[in-house]
Amino acid sequence: MFSPSSLQWLSLIGIIWLQSINGTNSDFPAYSSHVKNLLSISQIQLNNLAFASDAGKLLGWFSGIAAMHLPLWLALVIGAILGMVGYGVQYLFLINKIASLPYWVIFFLTVVAGNSICWINTVCYIVTIKNFPSNRQIAVGLSTSYVGLSAQVYTIIVDVIFPSSPGKKAKAYLFLNSIVPLLISVIAAPLVREIHHKGSTNQMGGFGVMFFITGATGIYAIICSLGSVVISTKIIAVGFGLLLAAPLMVVISMELTPTTKSDRVHDFTIDELSSVEERVVGKKVNEDQVEEEVAEIRVREEVRPSVMLQRLDFWLYFFLYMFGVTLGLVFLNNLGQIAESRGMSNASALVSLSSSFGFFGRLVPSLIDYFFSRSRCRYMVSRPAFIVMLMTLSTGSFMLLNTTNLYLTTATIGVCTGAITSIAISTTTELFGSKNFSVNHNILVTNIPIGSFVFGYLAAFLYQRETPEGSDKCMGSQCYRTIFFIWGSFCFVGTLLSLILYLRTRKFYLEQLIMKDQILAEENTRSATDLSNHQDFCLIDLGKRGH
C-alpha cells in the first residue's frame, strides 16, 4: 500500500498524463489542410470547424456542475467518452465506414469533442487544487504545462505510424484523438482522486525533482521540433515515453526511502526528541498547515456564479482573457494556413514549436511561485501584474508578425498564451474563491468560442478576399498582413484592460502581502520560542542523566 503522501504525488502524475494528451484541439493545425481537401470545403467552413472545437466550452460549465455532484472518476470517463464519440464518428466517416455525413453533423461532432476537453480539465483542476492546497499554483502550473505538449505528442505518434503519407495523417489524428484520451483516462482514473492527508512532509523537494524532469521534457520537445529532420521519429517517441514516465521516480524514491531511528543525539532518537518537544510546548507547529493558512488569505471571497457575472472585475478579466489567450489560440489554430501561405512545406514543425514554447509558458508561473515559496521573499509580483507584462509582450509580437521571423514570433505568442492560461486558474480562485471554481472558471473560458468565432471568421474572410479567383489557396505575406495588424490592435486593448484590473485589485494583493507577513512573523516567533524551550529542557534532562 502506498502512503497518503505518495498517493498525493501519484494523483499529480495521473493528472500530468491526462493533460499531456488532453489538448486534442491543439493538433488541428497540423491536419487542417488535409481535412479541407478531404471534405472539399472552403477556408471559411474550415474556420467554422476550428470554432466548433472551441464552441464546446460554451457548455463547459455543465462539466463543473457534474464534477460537484458525481464521483470525479466518473466525470473523467464521461469526458473521455464524449471525445471518443466526437472524433471517432468523424474518423469512421473519413475511412468510409459509415454513410456520408452532412457538414452540420461534422460541426456538431466537433463541438462534442471540444466539450470533452472541459470535462477532463475540470477534474484535473479540482484534484490538483484539493490535493495541494498550500502549493496550488505550483502544482496546477506544473501539470497544465503538459497540455502544451499535446500537439507534439500526437504529431510524433502520427509521424511514426505514417511517416510519408499526408493523405492518411488527418485520419490518423482523428483516430488518436478519439482513442488515446479514453485509454489514459481509464489508466489514470484510480489515481485521480482527492487524498485527505495533512502530513508535515515538505513538498518542495518533490516539486524540485518534478521541475527538473518537466524542464528536461520541455527542452527535449524544443530540440525535437527543431531537429526532427535529422532525428529518427522512433527515437523521439521513445524519449518522450521515458520522460512522461520519469515523474514516477518521485513516488518510487519516497516508497524506497526507509524511515529509521538510527540518528541519535545523546541517546535520544529523533522521534523521542519530537515527543519531548510536544510535551513541553504543546502541539508542534505544522509547516504545511501554516502554508495552507497563507494560501487561504489569497482568496478574496467565495463568489457564486450569478454574483460573479454582476462584477466589473469579472468582465475586465473576461475580455482581457479573450484578447490575450483566445487571440493566441486563434493564431495557433491558423498556423497551418499561415505556414502554407509563407511557402513552408512542413507546417507540423511550426505547430510543434508553438506547442513546445506554450509548454514552457505554462510552466514559468509555477516555477516563479516555487522559488518564491522556497525563499519566502516578501516581494512578489501579483498575478494581474504578471498578466499585464505578458499581454504587453504578446501585443508586440502580433504587431511584428509581418516583419519578424515567423518562428520567433510564434514562440513568443506560444509562451505568453501558455503563461496566461496557467496564471488564470489561480487568479480565478483568488478573485472569486475555490468553492465554485469548477463553474466559475468554465464560465470564464466561454470567451474562447466567442473570440474564436469573431477573430477566426475575420481571418478567414480576409484570407478569402486575398485568394485569387479560381483558387482555394492564398500565397504570399499579404494573405495575413491586415489580420495580423487587427489582432495586434485587439491585443493592445486587452493589455489596457489587464492594466485596469491590476489597478483595481492592487489593494487586495497588498493586503494579502501584509497578512502573509504577519502569519510568517508569528510562525518565526513561535518557532524561536519552541526551540529555546526545547533546548532548555534537553539541557536539564541531560544534566539529570549525568548524575
Side-chain angles (χ1 to χ4, degrees):
M1 288 293 293
F2 290 104
S3 66
S5 181
S6 295
L7 289 175
Q8 279 184 322
W9 289 103
L10 277 174
S11 72
L12 183 62
I13 293 168
I15 288 165
I16 285 173
W17 292 343
L18 286 170
Q19 295 285 33
S20 65
I21 52 84
N22 194 36
T24 48
N25 59 343
S26 63
D27 60 26
F28 180 75
Y31 66 91
S32 58
S33 296
H34 304 308
V35 169
K36 181 180 177 181
N37 295 330
L38 289 170
L39 299 179
S40 300
I41 58 179
S42 67
Q43 181 65 28
I44 292 178
Q45 287 176 309
L46 181 67
N47 179 76
N48 289 340
L49 290 183
F51 159 72
S53 180
D54 293 328
K57 294 180 175 63
L58 288 172
L59 299 175
W61 56 269
F62 188 73
S63 66
I65 295 175
M68 293 171 66
H69 297 90
L70 296 177
L72 291 176
W73 67 265
L74 180 57
L76 179 66
V77 173
I78 289 174
I81 291 174
L82 288 173
M84 182 185 68
V85 172
Y87 288 114
V89 175
Q90 292 183 65
Y91 168 73
L92 294 175
F93 164 64
L94 289 184
I95 63 173
N96 300 316
K97 292 296 182 180
I98 58 176
S100 178
L101 293 176
Y103 179 78
W104 72 266
V105 173
I106 296 176
F107 183 92
F108 174 75
L109 290 170
T110 307
V111 171
V112 172
N115 182 252
S116 71
I117 296 173
C118 296
W119 288 74
I120 298 176
N121 273 341
T122 298
V123 172
C124 290
Y125 295 157
I126 291 174
V127 172
T128 306
I129 289 172
K130 289 186 176 180
N131 285 356
F132 297 91
S134 58
N135 297 297
R136 63 167 67 104
Q137 174 60 61
I138 297 176
V140 168
L142 194 149
S143 61
T144 57
S145 64
Y146 280 84
V147 176
L149 289 179
S150 291
Q152 190 156 7
V153 168
Y154 285 110
T155 298
I156 289 170
I157 298 174
V158 170
D159 286 342
V160 169
I161 300 174
F162 302 106
S164 58
S165 181
K168 294 181 180 179
K169 284 188 176 182
K171 300 172 185 177
Y173 275 111
L174 288 171
F175 173 75
L176 292 172
N177 286 352
S178 66
I179 200 69
V180 172
L182 181 62
L183 291 175
I184 300 300
S185 294
V186 171
I187 294 172
L191 306 177
V192 181
R193 58 193 175 92
E194 184 179 355
I195 309 297
H196 298 283
H197 173 58
K198 292 187 178 182
S200 58
T201 303
N202 190 347
Q203 296 174 342
M204 289 298 109
F207 280 122
V209 176
M210 293 291 283
F211 275 121
F212 177 80
I213 295 170
T214 305
T217 304
I219 293 171
Y220 181 79
I222 291 177
I223 293 173
C224 292
S225 63
L226 294 176
S228 56
V229 176
V230 295
I231 302 176
S232 168
T233 52
K234 292 182 180 180
I235 294 176
I236 293 174
V238 171
F240 259 107
L242 292 174
L243 286 169
L244 289 175
L248 286 171
M249 292 191 300
V250 175
V251 176
I252 293 173
S253 64
M254 291 177 66
E255 291 297 313
L256 293 180
T257 302
T259 303
T260 65
K261 296 185 179 181
S262 57
D263 295 329
R264 306 185 69 86
V265 180
H266 295 291
D267 294 329
F268 284 102
T269 64
I270 299 298
D271 287 346
E272 289 167 347
L273 285 173
S274 297
S275 178
V276 169
E277 181 181 357
E278 288 177 15
R279 289 200 305 270
V280 176
V281 300
K283 188 176 180 180
K284 187 171 63 173
V285 177
N286 188 316
E287 185 178 347
D288 280 353
Q289 289 177 349
V290 173
E291 286 299 323
E292 289 181 27
E293 187 177 355
V294 172
E296 287 303 314
I297 69 175
R298 296 173 184 161
V299 178
R300 209 173 189 183
E301 61 180 303
E302 296 293 344
V303 180
R304 296 192 307 274
S306 58
V307 176
M308 181 183 70
L309 291 172
Q310 300 174 26
R311 301 212 168 162
L312 177 60
D313 285 351
F314 169 75
W315 291 108
L316 290 170
Y317 188 32
F318 183 90
F319 284 107
L320 79 84
Y321 196 95
M322 179 187 290
F323 297 149
V325 173
T326 301
L327 197 57
L329 294 176
V330 172
F331 167 74
L332 298 178
N333 281 338
N334 281 270
L335 268 181
Q337 278 64 49
I338 293 171
E340 185 181 61
S341 69
R342 294 283 184 94
M344 298 175 62
S345 58
N346 190 7
S348 61
L350 195 62
V351 175
S352 294
L353 182 70
S354 67
S355 175
S356 302
F357 276 92
F359 169 87
F360 273 109
R362 291 171 182 266
L363 185 63
V364 165
S366 58
L367 193 61
I368 292 174
D369 263 43
Y370 171 76
F371 283 112
F372 273 113
S373 296
R374 286 183 66 86
S375 64
R376 294 195 174 184
C377 180
R378 184 182 188 279
Y379 299 100
M380 185 172 182
V381 178
S382 68
R383 304 202 203 284
F386 200 5
I387 292 175
V388 173
M389 292 184 242
L390 292 167
M391 289 292 294
T392 303
L393 185 59
S394 189
T395 299
S397 299
F398 274 112
M399 290 298 187
L400 293 173
L401 274 170
N402 285 313
T403 59
T404 309
N405 182 278
L406 187 59
Y407 283 95
L408 177 62
T409 48
T410 297
T412 305
I413 292 172
V415 167
C416 294
T417 301
I420 297 174
T421 302
S422 176
I423 294 170
I425 298 169
S426 292
T427 305
T428 302
T429 304
E430 290 173 358
L431 296 181
F432 309 112
S434 58
K435 183 178 180 181
N436 299 297
F437 166 82
S438 59
V439 179
N440 289 344
H441 196 70
N442 277 299
I443 291 175
L444 170 70
V445 297
T446 55
N447 75 77
I448 294 179
I450 298 171
S452 177
F453 176 77
V454 174
F455 303 136
Y457 183 82
L458 185 60
F461 173 77
L462 293 174
Y463 177 93
Q464 204 75 24
R465 192 182 69 177
E466 297 292 338
T467 303
E469 275 190 53
S471 175
D472 61 346
K473 292 182 181 179
C474 177
M475 301 299 294
S477 60
Q478 79 281 356
C479 299
Y480 284 91
R481 180 183 292 116
T482 304
I483 195 60
F484 286 162
F485 176 76
I486 294 174
W487 283 351
S489 300
F490 276 118
C491 196
F492 177 72
V493 173
T495 304
L496 294 179
L497 295 177
S498 65
L499 180 60
I500 295 172
L501 180 65
Y502 161 69
L503 294 174
R504 286 179 57 84
T505 58
R506 187 167 177 269
K507 182 180 178 181
F508 159 66
Y509 282 98
L510 286 174
E511 291 174 349
Q512 171 201 111
L513 187 62
I514 293 171
M515 292 177 67
K516 181 176 181 179
D517 283 347
Q518 291 174 347
I519 290 177
L520 292 178
E522 291 174 4
E523 177 194 359
N524 292 334
T525 301
R526 191 185 313 129
S527 299
T529 302
D530 292 350
L531 178 62
S532 176
N533 291 339
H534 175 227
Q535 290 173 337
D536 290 344
F537 182 86
C538 288
L539 288 173
I540 293 171
D541 195 72
L542 288 171
K544 290 180 178 179
R545 287 193 176 197
H547 291 292

